[in-house]
Amino acid sequence: MGGLDFAGGTPVHITSGAAALAYSVMLGKRRGYSDIHGLPYRPHNVTHVVIGTVFLWVGWFGFNGGSALGANLRGIMACVVSHIAASVGGITWVFLDWRLEHKWSTVGFCSGAISGLVAITPASGFVPPWSAVIFGVVGAIACNYATKLKYYIKVDDALDIFGEHGVGGIVGNLLTAFFAADYIAHLDGFSEIQGGWLNHHWIQLAYQLADCVSGFTYSFFGTCIILFVMNLIPGLSLRATEEAEVYGIDDAELGEFAYDYVEHTREVINGVEAPSQESGLEKVSFKSDA
């Protein structure tokens, strides 16, 4: 149909972001959620966040570079621009967070790196290396601000999937229209494209916009329909019970926590009774001196 998408900007990122937004709308907000500040959750283990980002970053070389379907210069170029966009995106996000709290955030760098990788995905086999800097900067800025959209549209997107993947994928798709170059695509020796604005192919922006709209719409409404049907089927209810939300899904489903201090903090410091087979929400009590 004329759209340029090298490694899955629409089928991977835009569709996942749209599906996450649909799920957030259909599921509703978590217990105690505030439309202004959400829930006061923080990453429980920053080391794990860094390790996960490293795994993603390295894996993305196979994701983007492997989309060349061969060991050729186009695949190498896809890896180069992916690395540049991730690095620039991480640094950009850190500066955006620093302007608010004047602190250098490790989690912020990881979030920015992922936003850069998401943005460069559809363009990785089409754009020259210098443009990857623009993808990293614009992608990080757009995704950083997009994580605040949930407060305006009043949805509880716990992992900011719409902000990171949905918006990042859209930004990457649109930027591809500006920076796609025919000589980059031809590095594999056989691919021929008309390119984007670098090749004076102005209509490419319309193709990319149509790609974004169609992919987002299909995924959003398709997911809404699937979730609506699932919620009508016994045993496939989308939402946990209120009691399970209070005690935590780990305790409700598994009867244990990943970290002992969670149970210790809840029962000893906060004075919350441990749930039993006969317990209900009325059993939850708080000490007056807690």
Side-chain angles (χ1 to χ4, degrees):
M1 299 298 291
L4 296 176
D5 189 347
F6 185 68
T10 297
V12 176
H13 298 298
I14 294 179
T15 54
S16 65
L21 180 61
Y23 210 119
S24 299
V25 171
M26 298 293 289
L27 185 64
K29 299 166 188 169
R30 286 165 290 175
R31 184 178 183 275
Y33 185 86
S34 165
D35 285 335
I36 301 175
H37 301 295
L39 284 168
Y41 288 165
R42 296 177 296 174
H44 83 290
N45 192 315
V46 175
T47 303
H48 285 180
V49 174
V50 174
I51 293 174
T53 302
V54 170
F55 287 160
L56 281 172
W57 197 326
V58 174
W60 228 288
F61 293 141
F63 186 70
N64 286 356
S67 294
L69 303 179
N72 51 50
L73 289 177
R74 193 182 189 191
I76 294 172
M77 184 62 72
C79 291
V80 170
V81 297
S82 298
H83 191 58
I84 294 173
S87 303
V88 174
I91 294 172
T92 302
W93 194 296
V94 166
F95 278 109
L96 288 171
D97 284 352
W98 183 87
R99 86 190 193 283
L100 298 175
E101 300 182 2
H102 296 283
K103 291 185 168 84
W104 307 105
S105 170
T106 301
V107 174
F109 179 84
C110 293
S111 299
I114 299 303
S115 68
L117 288 167
V118 169
I120 198 64
T121 292
S124 54
F126 300 119
V127 299
W130 58 266
S131 67
V133 175
I134 300 174
F135 278 82
V137 172
V138 177
I141 292 174
C143 292
N144 183 282
Y145 282 100
T147 58
K148 313 300 188 296
L149 286 176
K150 60 187 177 184
Y151 303 125
Y152 292 97
I153 59 179
K154 300 185 183 304
V155 297
D156 181 9
D157 184 2
L159 299 179
D160 289 320
I161 299 173
F162 169 67
E164 280 267 4
H165 292 272
V167 173
I170 292 172
V171 168
N173 256 11
L174 296 179
L175 288 178
T176 302
F178 295 103
F179 300 105
D182 54 0
Y183 66 92
I184 297 294
H186 193 63
L187 287 176
D188 59 8
F190 60 87
S191 295
E192 300 285 349
I193 65 170
Q194 291 180 287
W197 286 24
L198 286 182
N199 296 121
H200 300 164
H201 187 226
W202 315 115
I203 194 63
Q204 191 61 47
L205 181 59
Y207 293 153
Q208 298 300 115
L209 182 60
D211 190 353
C212 294
V213 173
S214 59
F216 189 95
T217 303
Y218 175 83
S219 178
F220 181 84
F221 289 105
T223 302
C224 286
I225 294 171
I226 292 171
L227 293 176
F228 177 78
V229 173
M230 283 180 57
N231 202 43
L232 298 177
I233 301 174
L236 294 181
S237 176
L238 300 179
R239 193 176 185 96
T241 64
E242 187 175 3
E243 181 180 358
E245 285 194 59
V246 172
Y247 291 132
I249 301 300
D250 281 351
D251 199 0
E253 298 289 338
L254 305 175
E256 58 190 9
F257 292 98
Y259 303 97
D260 286 340
Y261 73 82
V262 175
E263 183 77 356
H264 173 77
T265 300
R266 191 179 69 177
E267 292 186 14
V268 178
I269 298 179
N270 294 331
V272 180
E273 292 183 2
S276 63
Q277 294 295 328
E278 297 79 16
S279 66
L281 287 178
E282 66 277 1
K283 294 289 185 178
V284 180
S285 61
F286 294 87
K287 293 180 181 178
S288 60
D289 58 347

